[in-house]
């Protein structure tokens, strides 16, 4: 049994309860107590972490849309439709070693920033399973599957099924595999049918891209005679087993289809802004009854993976879009980054809040940073300005300790489960090598597209 004592707690339970002088007990991988300090519950064999009132505990953050990569800050100043062919270059030249080092670097970054669960879509994902398994991260792996020429260099339905057979549910359930699919332009109707078959056969979830840029919606109308969401519905994809990345341009009728099916939307506010896609109508999505979670979209376009930044950006963009300062407050944003993420992954009963019986995915944030002080509480200890600090004044690097499935994987802001310096050095070498190969391929691959 382990105890975290004298800690402020942001539970994100159904009442958004906060506790000023709190205590958390962890039994194996499970939370067995969350509440006010209660010395009588601490047993003599308990391993105690006394926070002395200088830390706040909250649920680990959930990044529900990510693409691991070693390439960042390279394909800049491009609108999504111009950016995609350039991004494809890295996939045409990606090797299992590139993917492995991308997972090592990316998962390190996520953990250090307090993210305990990542839904990742990339290539050679047996490497992701191994890396996340050993490092201690919780992952949902959705292979980039595509088969429409000239995009047939991605993963296949066969390699996706192989990944499910080998890795789904491994590492005490921390590694979950899904049926992953790029989008309706890269992937055929047959591939969607295969994803549905894998969902039915193995009980795995499905993750794919919804509409990202308005130009994609007009292309879909011209090519398929319907919206991307209608097309997904016609292929039987809309269900509570589905989470959809982005959905920036989307009609109210399409929102209703997604809401009725119980599917979730993974909102990536920084990526959508940076790629010139627009501001997602999250307020209207939520009013339609859709569960909306947050995602970083990975280093390739974001260029960082820090869900604290996504919370702040998402809130600011909605307030600005609707000219309404009263919407998307701190409690709302903390839910989007935690329990809504858990719901996007069908995990709301297991993670996403600090409650008895849930998996111990917990982060501790040090309060000894100028931008988090002074901390104030109301008289009865039911409200604190700390909630606003966590959304609007926070940096991922303030995260001190990260516990996933009851295991401490980061302490004092350092990874415990692997050599942090070696990960950075390996990523540097591999990244430079990958860039050389990518650039060498650029002329021969991009020239015909440009002409
Ligand atoms: Zn994406």
């Amino acid at each position: 049994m382990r105890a975290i004592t004298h800690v402020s707690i942001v539970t994100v339970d159904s009442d958004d309860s906060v506790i000023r002088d709190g205590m958390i007990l962890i039994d194996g991988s499970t939370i067995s107590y969350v509440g006010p300090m209660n010395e009588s519950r601490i047993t003599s064999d308990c391993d105690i972490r006394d926070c002395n009132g200088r830390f706040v505990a909250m649920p680990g953050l959930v990044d529900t849309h990510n693409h691991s990569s070693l390439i960042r800050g390279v394909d800049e100043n491009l609108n999504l439709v111009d950016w995609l062919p350039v991004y494809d270059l890295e996939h045409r030249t990606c090797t299992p070693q590139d993917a492995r080092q991308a997972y090592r670097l990316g998962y390190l970054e996520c953990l250090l920033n307090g993210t305990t669960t990542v839904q990742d879509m990339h290539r050679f994902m047996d490497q992701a399973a191994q890396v996340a398994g050993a490092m201690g991260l919780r992952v949902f792996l959705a292979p980039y599957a595509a088969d429409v020429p000239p995009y047939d260099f991605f993963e296949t339905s066969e390699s996706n099924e192989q990944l499910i057979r080998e890795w789904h549910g491994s590492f005490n359930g921390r590694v979950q595999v899904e049926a992953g699919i790029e989008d309706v332009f890269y992937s055929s109707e047959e591939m969607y049918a295969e994803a549905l078959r894998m969902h039915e056969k193995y009980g795995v979830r499905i993750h794919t891209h919804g509409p990202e840029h308005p130009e994609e919606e007009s292309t879909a109308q011209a090519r398929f005679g319907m919206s991307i969401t209608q097309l997904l519905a016609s292929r039987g994809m809309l269900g509570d087993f589905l989470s959809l990345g982005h959905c920036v341009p989307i009609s109210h009728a399409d929102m209703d289809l997604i809401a009725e099916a119980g599917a979730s939307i993974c909102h990536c506010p920084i990526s959508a802004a940076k790629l010139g896609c627009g501001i997602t109508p999250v307020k209207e999505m939520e009013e339609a009854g859709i569960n909306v979670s947050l995602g970083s979209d990975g280093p390739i376009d974001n260029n960082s993976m820090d869900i604290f930044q996504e919370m702040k950006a998402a809130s600011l963009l909605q307030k600005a879009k609707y000219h309404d300062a009263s919407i998307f407050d701190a409690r709302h944003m903390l839910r989007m980054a935690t329990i809504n993420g858990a719901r996007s992954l069908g995990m709301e009963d297991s993670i996403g809040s600090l409650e008895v019986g849930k998996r111990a995915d917990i982060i501790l944030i040090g309060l000894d940073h100028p931008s988090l002080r002074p901390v104030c509480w109301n008289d009865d200890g039911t409200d604190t300005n700390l909630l606003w600090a966590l959304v609007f004044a926070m940096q991922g690097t303030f995260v001190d300790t990260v516990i996933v499935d009851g295991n401490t994987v980061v302490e004092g802001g350092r990874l415990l489960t692997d050599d942090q310096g070696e990960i950075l050095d390996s990523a540097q070498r591999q990244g430079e090598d990958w860039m050389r190969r990518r650039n060498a391929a650029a002329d021969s691959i991009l020239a015909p597209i440009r002409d």
Side-chain angles (χ1 to χ4, degrees):
M1 185 93 86
R2 297 160 61 199
I4 303 169
T5 62
H6 299 292
V7 65
S8 298
I9 304 174
V10 174
T11 63
V12 199
D13 64 10
S14 54
D15 300 320
D16 293 316
S17 309
V18 289
I19 301 162
R20 183 170 186 170
D21 185 29
M23 180 173 96
I24 301 169
L25 295 179
I26 303 169
D27 190 0
S29 60
T30 308
I31 297 171
S32 58
Y33 175 86
V34 182
M37 267 309 297
N38 185 344
E39 306 276 357
S40 68
R41 295 198 56 145
I42 301 175
T43 51
S44 56
D45 61 337
C46 217
D47 176 16
I48 299 172
R49 166 81 183 266
D50 187 347
C51 290
N52 285 313
R54 305 187 86 84
F55 291 84
V56 56
M58 65 173 286
L61 304 178
V62 184
D63 183 345
T64 55
H65 192 70
N66 196 320
H67 302 284
S68 287
S69 182
L70 285 180
I71 294 175
R72 69 171 101 199
V74 174
D75 309 329
E76 296 290 343
N77 286 340
L78 292 168
N79 285 318
L80 178 80
V81 285
D82 303 316
W83 176 87
L84 280 170
V86 186
Y87 173 52
D88 287 346
L89 281 177
E90 82 173 66
H91 280 288
R92 286 179 183 272
T93 52
C94 181
T95 66
Q97 265 314 309
D98 294 330
R100 183 177 189 83
Q101 298 306 333
Y103 296 131
R104 295 183 79 212
L105 183 73
Y107 295 169
L108 169 66
E109 181 178 346
C110 290
L111 282 170
L112 294 184
N113 284 332
T115 297
T116 51
T117 301
V118 175
Q119 179 160 245
D120 196 5
M121 179 179 275
H122 198 58
R123 309 269 307 287
F124 306 111
M125 296 204 93
D126 53 324
Q127 302 288 342
Q130 292 169 32
V131 169
M135 202 180 274
L137 183 68
R138 189 182 299 285
V139 284
F140 280 70
L141 306 178
Y144 247 132
D147 59 348
V148 173
Y151 307 120
D152 43 5
F153 50 88
F154 283 89
E155 297 293 321
T156 62
S157 299
E158 290 71 33
S159 68
N160 196 153
E161 186 159 12
Q162 183 71 12
L163 191 74
I164 293 170
R165 285 216 193 95
E166 281 179 26
W167 294 101
H168 183 54
S170 58
F171 295 97
N172 199 31
R174 258 196 306 111
V175 173
Q176 297 282 311
V177 181
E178 302 174 282
I181 270 201
E182 221 299 1
D183 70 7
V184 297
F185 306 111
Y186 281 52
S187 312
S188 70
E189 191 171 352
E190 293 71 37
M191 192 162 246
Y192 279 92
E194 275 295 291
L196 207 51
R197 185 187 63 76
M198 285 186 260
H199 158 66
E200 281 160 5
K201 181 170 179 185
Y202 301 101
V204 298
R205 300 181 61 77
I206 301 178
H207 185 48
T208 187
H209 285 104
E212 196 167 344
H213 192 280
E215 242 179 80
E216 290 180 323
E217 272 300 355
S218 35
T219 306
Q221 286 291 352
R223 194 176 302 175
F224 306 108
M226 60 182 92
S227 73
I228 290 171
T229 304
Q230 286 172 321
L231 184 61
L232 290 172
S234 75
R235 292 179 178 177
M237 300 300 295
L238 294 189
D240 60 4
F241 51 82
L242 176 78
S243 67
L244 276 171
H246 305 292
C247 300
V248 184
I250 189 158
S251 68
H252 282 111
D254 286 349
M255 287 183 206
D256 289 341
L257 283 176
I258 294 169
E260 276 161 30
S264 291
I265 289 175
C266 312
H267 170 44
C268 307
I270 294 176
S271 154
K274 197 146 170 288
L275 292 171
C277 297
I279 303 176
T280 310
V282 181
K283 177 173 179 277
E284 289 151 75
M285 289 173 171
E286 292 188 343
E287 284 166 357
I290 301 172
N291 175 57
V292 182
S293 57
L294 289 175
S296 65
D297 210 27
I300 39 168
D301 55 3
N302 187 302
N303 309 5
S304 66
M305 294 180 276
D306 179 353
I307 295 299
F308 288 105
Q309 287 187 21
E310 302 299 328
M311 272 197 269
K312 181 171 182 173
S315 173
L316 294 178
L317 287 166
Q318 295 300 303
K319 287 174 188 289
K321 180 178 173 71
Y322 295 101
H323 301 277
D324 186 352
S326 73
I327 58 175
F328 292 82
D329 64 16
R331 281 186 165 87
H332 195 126
M333 298 320 299
L334 289 164
R335 298 186 74 77
M336 281 181 80
T338 57
I339 190 70
N340 290 13
R343 193 167 291 123
S344 262
L345 302 169
M347 291 282 283
E348 66 271 27
D349 294 332
S350 308
I351 59 169
S353 61
L354 301 185
E355 294 180 87
V356 172
K358 283 199 167 182
R359 296 297 180 114
D361 288 9
I362 304 166
I363 60 175
L364 298 178
I365 295 156
L367 296 176
D368 289 339
H369 300 282
S371 61
L372 303 184
R373 295 296 186 102
V375 178
C376 306
W377 288 80
N378 64 348
D379 289 341
D380 59 1
T382 55
D383 198 8
T384 170
N385 65 348
L386 199 45
L387 296 170
W388 296 89
L390 290 175
V391 177
F392 292 99
M394 181 63 192
Q395 292 175 28
T397 50
F398 298 170
V399 173
D400 178 273
T401 299
V402 178
I403 299 166
V404 186
D405 214 35
N407 302 310
T408 305
V409 292
V410 172
E411 200 166 64
R414 300 283 300 178
L415 185 72
L416 299 181
T417 49
D418 201 346
D419 182 341
Q420 202 167 306
E422 188 272 323
I423 293 174
L424 297 178
D425 289 345
S426 299
Q428 182 69 37
R429 272 195 305 276
Q430 194 74 32
E432 287 184 50
D433 186 57
W434 192 357
M435 275 298 290
R436 266 193 296 276
R437 283 178 277 118
R438 171 196 173 281
N439 293 343
D443 285 342
S444 61
I445 293 170
L446 284 185
I449 299 174
R450 286 203 198 97
D451 297 341

